[in-house]
Amino acid sequence: MSAIGTLRTGHIGLNVTDLDRSIGFYAGVLGFEVLREGKEEGRRYAFLGQDGQLVLTLWQQAEGSYDQGRAGLHHLAFEAESIERVTAAEAELKARGASFAYEGVVAHAEGAASGGIFFHDPDGTRLEIYARKGAEGAAAPNEAAPTCGFF
């Protein structure tokens, strides 16, 4: 073990182009609660979470959409408690016009029990909602690489 000890992800910060639109997506569609907002001129941000625990910070300081060809965030994955919750999220996202990388729940790899849905936020950031089990019968879109790797 390192001298630092065990580290866990505390929260994720995303740069967004339109804070109000992103709050609508992450709070209105994905169900995060707004814990705090700052809307001072030129310094707009929001802290979002669940059960009072910070999960995601949104910073309105981007000028363009997500670019998968640049170094940085590859994708952001959220774990759901069951595959049924994943399919419920998919239905809600479809109803709100989200764009998807694959149709329906897909397995993380051929024969894997874990799987989920892969989609994009309003700025094009790649997102995933998955469950650790329940995707046993789902196909994997890529045979030679993890499903989440190249969407």
Side-chain angles (χ1 to χ4, degrees):
M1 176 157 55
S2 114
I4 298 171
T6 302
L7 297 176
R8 291 179 177 71
T9 303
H11 67 275
I12 302 294
L14 296 178
N15 287 335
V16 300
T17 58
D18 181 325
L19 184 64
D20 294 325
R21 179 180 69 175
S22 292
I23 289 173
F25 179 80
Y26 286 97
V29 178
L30 296 185
F32 289 104
E33 59 186 292
V34 177
L35 302 175
R36 183 170 134 208
E37 278 186 74
K39 291 192 174 187
E40 301 83 22
E41 186 59 37
R43 295 200 169 270
R44 298 191 66 212
Y45 61 89
F47 291 1
L48 286 75
Q50 290 183 322
D51 302 321
Q53 183 72 33
L54 179 63
V55 174
L56 184 65
T57 59
L58 303 175
W59 306 93
Q60 184 174 296
Q61 56 187 9
E63 293 182 14
S65 62
Y66 176 82
D67 181 354
Q68 71 183 33
R70 297 186 62 137
L73 179 73
H74 180 274
H75 75 285
L76 176 55
F78 298 106
E79 183 178 347
E81 60 195 44
S82 69
I83 204 73
E84 290 78 22
R85 295 285 188 185
V86 174
T87 56
E90 178 189 23
E92 180 67 22
L93 287 160
K94 279 186 176 182
R96 302 226 186 191
S99 70
F100 287 81
Y102 310 113
E103 184 62 36
V105 171
V106 294
H108 280 139
E110 201 62 47
S114 64
I117 56 173
F118 297 83
F119 57 101
H120 305 89
D121 81 355
D123 285 310
T125 301
R126 299 184 298 187
L127 303 172
E128 171 186 0
I129 298 176
Y130 74 96
R132 291 181 187 223
K133 59 183 179 176
E136 290 86 351
N142 303 306
E143 291 182 23
T147 299
C148 61
F150 299 99
F151 72 98

